[in-house]
Amino acid sequence: MRIVVAIGGNALLRRGERADAATQIRNVAAVTRDLAGLAVWYELLIVHGNGPQVGLLAEESERDPTLERGYPLDTLVAETQGMIGYWLAQGLGRHLPGTLVAALITQVVVDGDDPAFARPTKPVGPYYTDEEARALTGWTLRQERYGWRRVVPSPRPLEVVELPVITRLLDGGCVVVAGGGGGVPVLADRSGVEAVVDKDLVAALLAEEIKADLLVILTDVPYVIDGYGTGHERPIRTATPAELDPADFAAGSMRPKVEGACRFAERTGRPAAIGALSELEDVVAGTAGTRIRA
């Protein structure tokens, strides 16, 4: 049985934590222990987020006085793929002696005319206070529950360039880490663009292409919530794609998770699940989280 598991960047860096490497390495140790338990029984492809990490590196790069300009987002996505992929591979290797683990720098083709380039919605980096936000120029900022946050374009993924390599590695018995941060966004000619692709949509695309039996999207809430923030909240335990409208959920947050899960279930006839990282085994088993079936 083949499973794709998508974990958020907040699995490594939780809200309120300092972005120290030691903190993230400690967090990833717990994540890889649970992922390794799955890898004993299933062929496993792991997709990870990078929102906190890529935002931090972008801020550092923009403020570096020795640079003429900050590093472009596509380059920073590649940088975080290497960093987080290394941490995940290192942790999985400790729990799975004798099992090959491969972390790939992954490119994802997007359309240069995607309307998302004109409407930034993808949050990256830390939360800023009102005072800090006023000092930031040249960025698009959005006010959220915990403060202001930078938002960047998030075009739709069309193709995963390294798909043949990923497939061969899985067929050969490797645990694969790919599509990190949604992949490095490139155009058809492989030139990079200033954007961050949503990792949940890329996970759904990969799950479809590698013929996965299950797509699991992990977050920090136990269920998809109907009416979130309205005072009439209701956990959704099971649903079909026809019963869920991604537009009913927050852009850059739950919306791409619902959209990716529904797309996979609808296009393949196989189930998808959305649930809490802390309940990974139960989400895979179908006893926790939201299950979406065609």
Side-chain angles (χ1 to χ4, degrees):
M1 185 175 178
R2 183 169 285 183
I3 296 180
V4 173
V5 175
I7 59 174
N10 56 3
L12 285 78
L13 190 61
R14 294 154 194 161
R15 188 176 293 116
E17 289 184 329
R18 292 175 60 90
D20 295 320
T23 299
Q24 298 183 74
I25 292 169
R26 183 174 64 248
N27 289 341
V28 86
V31 173
T32 52
R33 181 185 61 243
D34 295 337
L35 290 170
L38 288 184
V40 172
W41 302 101
Y42 307 110
E43 296 177 3
L44 183 60
L45 169 62
I46 301 164
V47 180
H48 64 79
N50 71 340
Q53 294 80 14
V54 77
L56 172 69
L57 294 179
E59 182 181 1
E60 290 178 346
S61 177
E62 291 282 351
R63 293 182 174 182
D64 190 330
T66 67
L67 299 176
E68 182 179 348
R69 63 179 59 88
Y71 280 28
L73 282 173
D74 58 302
T75 298
L76 294 175
V77 171
E79 185 175 350
T80 56
Q81 281 188 356
M83 177 179 71
I84 298 172
Y86 161 64
W87 288 339
L88 288 168
Q90 194 177 45
L92 288 164
R94 291 195 186 99
H95 296 293
L96 297 168
T99 299
L100 293 175
V101 182
L104 295 182
I105 302 297
T106 312
Q107 302 170 88
V108 170
V109 177
V110 300
D111 184 351
D113 294 324
D114 192 308
F117 285 105
R119 295 195 302 269
T121 59
K122 184 68 175 173
V124 298
Y127 290 94
Y128 299 102
T129 64
D130 291 348
E131 182 179 356
E132 289 170 332
R134 283 192 292 269
L136 295 171
T137 58
W139 287 1
T140 302
L141 298 174
R142 182 176 72 197
Q143 190 169 26
E144 297 185 349
R145 182 178 179 181
Y146 298 100
W148 293 88
R149 208 167 179 202
R150 183 186 183 186
V151 288
V152 300
S154 185
R156 298 185 67 81
L158 303 177
E159 174 192 351
V160 178
V161 175
E162 287 76 19
L163 178 64
V165 180
I166 294 168
T167 302
R168 290 181 65 180
L169 287 169
L170 287 168
D171 290 343
C174 286
V175 175
V176 181
V177 181
V184 179
V186 298
L187 302 179
D189 65 359
R190 302 299 186 265
S191 56
V193 291
E194 279 281 320
V196 173
V197 183
D198 190 272
K199 68 100 176 40
D200 298 313
L201 297 182
V202 170
L205 178 60
L206 278 168
E208 180 183 345
E209 294 289 351
I210 67 169
K211 298 178 172 56
D213 299 287
L214 175 66
L215 168 64
V216 177
I217 298 176
L218 299 172
T219 182
D220 55 359
V221 294
Y223 301 98
V224 177
I225 303 295
D226 181 32
Y228 180 75
T230 65
H232 301 284
E233 298 178 350
R234 178 183 65 87
I236 301 172
R237 290 178 168 80
T238 61
T240 66
E243 294 169 335
L244 290 174
D245 183 354
D248 291 338
F249 301 91
S253 179
M254 187 57 74
R255 183 180 299 176
K257 293 173 174 56
V258 171
E259 182 180 348
C262 288
R263 171 188 167 132
F264 174 75
E266 194 168 39
R267 292 171 69 101
T268 68
R270 295 184 287 275
I274 301 172
L277 175 66
S278 59
E279 298 179 312
L280 173 57
E281 289 188 9
D282 292 331
V283 173
V284 171
T287 57
T290 298
R291 202 78 163 187
I292 300 171
R293 302 181 185 274

